[in-house]
Amino acid sequence: FPMAEVWVTPGGDLAGAVNDIEAMGFRTQSGLKWFKSAKTEVTLIAAGLNLFAFVALFVSGIGITNTLVTSVVERTREIGILKAIGATRGQVLGIFLTEGAAIGLLGSAIGLLLARLLAIPADGWVHQLIEKQLMGEKMLTTTIFIFPVWLSVAAIGFAVVVTAVAAYYPARRA
């Protein structure tokens, strides 16, 4: 026989089947090499995007710190009045840390809402692009962009922590 076609059941060990067939001395042609190459490319792209996201996060943290430092300077009289009526350093610190955390909570909630709303048209567009690449075959999934609840909660929590950390220096100054 010049050729044999071997099918691996979905979820089966494709790499193991390819290795076993090649160990018998046969040449193989499978999507495994393409998949490994595509996975490497996607990993590199994701790493670059994550680096970009961390730079953006750092810059936004500096912006939040700057905004809160300005707020502290502008509210010197208010801080003085709070101290005069008996507010402790910890209470004043708490006010500014709470303000920073509230900024993070509100900002992340708005950002998550916008991401979900923008994902709707983006999902349709990407879905069409992928189906064109599949030459008429239908995709197995109905959506590309998935927002698990744990990720949404973690994103909001992370933003609150980052803004609270960014607010710490101005809060200490207060």
Side-chain angles (χ1 to χ4, degrees):
F1 297 99
M3 180 175 72
E5 190 170 312
V6 177
W7 288 73
V8 177
T9 58
D13 184 16
L14 178 60
V18 168
N19 289 336
D20 290 346
I21 292 169
E22 288 176 348
M24 290 186 245
F26 296 104
R27 289 181 301 152
T28 61
Q29 182 178 359
S30 73
L32 186 63
K33 291 176 186 170
W34 175 86
F35 176 75
K36 285 181 180 179
S37 174
K39 186 176 179 182
T40 301
E41 288 178 22
V42 167
T43 301
L44 289 173
I45 290 168
L49 289 173
N50 284 332
L51 179 64
F52 180 73
F54 281 119
V55 169
L57 185 66
F58 179 72
V59 170
S60 66
I62 290 172
I64 291 167
T65 301
N66 185 37
T67 302
L68 290 175
V69 165
T70 305
S71 176
V72 167
V73 169
E74 290 175 351
R75 293 164 64 183
T76 306
R77 296 181 84 183
E78 177 185 332
I79 295 167
I81 292 170
L82 287 171
K83 292 273 210 169
I85 61 172
T88 64
R89 297 186 101 193
Q91 289 171 328
V92 174
L93 179 79
I95 289 170
F96 284 94
L97 287 178
T98 303
E99 189 175 310
I103 290 170
L105 180 66
L106 184 63
S108 61
I110 291 170
L112 193 58
L113 178 66
L114 286 174
R116 284 180 175 254
L117 291 175
L118 290 174
I120 295 168
D123 195 39
W125 179 67
V126 171
H127 208 275
Q128 288 175 350
L129 289 175
I130 292 173
E131 283 189 348
K132 282 181 186 175
Q133 293 292 321
L134 293 174
M135 293 183 223
E137 290 185 39
K138 294 291 179 191
M139 287 180 52
L140 297 176
T141 61
T142 57
T143 184
I144 307 297
F145 300 102
I146 299 170
F147 292 88
V149 174
W150 69 266
L151 183 60
S152 300
V153 171
I156 290 173
F158 185 70
V160 168
V161 168
V162 167
T163 53
V165 167
Y168 184 74
Y169 172 72
R172 291 280 301 174
R173 268 190 80 177

